[in-house]
Amino acid sequence: MSSRREWTAFEDTLRRRRLRLTAPRRRIAERMLSMRGHLSADEIQDLLKRDGTPVSKATVYRTLSLLKECGLFDSHDFGNGRKVYEKAVGRAHHDHLFCVSCGKVLEFHEPRIEEIQDQVTRRFRFSPVYHSHKIFGTCADCTRGKPGEKKGEHR
Amino acid sequence: MSSRREWTAFEDTLRRRRLRLTAPRRRIAERMLSMRGHLSADEIQDLLKRDGTPVSKATVYRTLSLLKECGLFDSHDFGNGRKVYEKAVGRAHHDHLFCVSCGKVLEFHEPRIEEIQDQVTRRFRFSPVYHSHKIFGTCADCTRGKPGEKKGEHR
DNA sequence: ATAGATGCAAACACTTTGCATGGAC
DNA sequence: GTCCATGCAAAGTGTTTGCATCTAT
């Protein structure tokens, strides 16, 4: 279960746009809010299937865009051929370190970088909407022990 | 025509790996080195076709990976469904501003950001290999005049 | 009752691959 | 003469869409 505030954010958006709170939408949103970390569409579908409440892939994708539009989730592309979703509501902004060996995702937040970014966009008279800052490499665990692959490195 | 140094880098890599310098490879590499900015596989194929020396898409992609492996080009994904390639050899490292309205790409280089990045990776004992730092928004031209779309915004 | 949502399968867009033919070394 | 590279078309992958059916409101 997840915090009430997140639910109401979702319900409000649906109501405002005259959309319906259906069982599949509820299940997907609830399941995703209950998880931490980054989930792909496939992983979400698998979770729901295991829960005994399967949902079609089309609905997963459609609900995912909805959740993103509502601001409940952010999506990230770590360059391995699929997007992953992460809870956004109630979380501070951050950027990512991605381990190319095991797929682990670490988070960092550097106000100093954001400040320099602002200087850059001002210099170019560029109106920023969002940014994506990712560092790829090998995490501490993989650098020493090489525990091997965890999450799919396909493509 | 492009600088000799870039050619020899390419030829050396081919020789070292016992690969052949064929006409398609030469044409693709030459054409790409002659252009500035970011090119997609499709754009490269179109250019070659207009030059009167058409090349199959498969060969374009295969040569692209080769050019990347050789370090002659870098690839970037601005989230519009395709990769674009940019000359890497003889160029200083930089990051990008991407205009979501016209597709324009601006470049920036901020040693201060790189320094903070290093602090971040040290803190996590993370071994960085490369990073991707992109700011998305609207360029100065599009913010005032809205000159309209230029490069495909498909997907 | 009715606009909107679901599931399925087909469509998509980019990229990769299998294979027979052709060409560099 | 060998391998390696090319072109073509087929396969792959994640995602989107058309449509008939179903359902929240």
Side-chain angles (χ1 to χ4, degrees), chain A residues 50-122:
Chain A
R50 272 179 224 141
D51 288 352
T53 54
V55 175
S56 77
K57 191 140 290 180
T59 297
V60 171
Y61 279 110
R62 288 189 275 234
T63 305
L64 246 18
S65 356
L66 201 50
L67 290 168
K68 192 179 174 182
E69 282 170 43
C70 299
L72 242 59
F73 285 82
D74 278 339
S75 73
H76 304 292
D77 184 349
F78 291 112
N80 46 11
R82 60 186 194 268
K83 276 180 189 124
V84 290
Y85 293 78
E86 150 184 70
K87 207 200 298 191
V89 70
R91 299 216 45 199
H93 165 73
H94 57 265
D95 292 298
H96 298 97
L97 275 68
F98 182 81
C99 177
V100 297
S101 166
C102 69
K104 190 187 300 161
V105 177
L106 302 169
E107 303 180 354
F108 69 94
H109 175 53
E110 273 295 347
R112 292 176 295 165
I113 292 182
E114 317 271 320
E115 170 52 32
I116 301 170
Q117 261 180 202
D118 286 349
Q119 296 172 17
V120 170
T121 56
R122 255 178 261 135

Side-chain angles (χ1 to χ4, degrees), chain B residues 20-22 41-42 57-58 61-62 81-83 154:
Chain B
R20 291 162 187 177
L21 181 51
T22 61
D42 256 333
K57 191 141 290 180
Y61 279 110
R62 287 189 275 234
R82 60 186 195 267
K83 277 183 189 123
H154 50 159

Side-chain angles (χ1 to χ4, degrees), chain A residues 130-150:
Chain A
Y130 63 96
H131 71 263
S132 147
H133 190 175
K134 309 188 195 88
I135 305 178
F136 296 83
T138 324
C139 71
D141 291 344
C142 289
T143 299
R144 358 181 166 70
K146 287 277 169 205
E149 316 289 301
K150 269 200 327 201

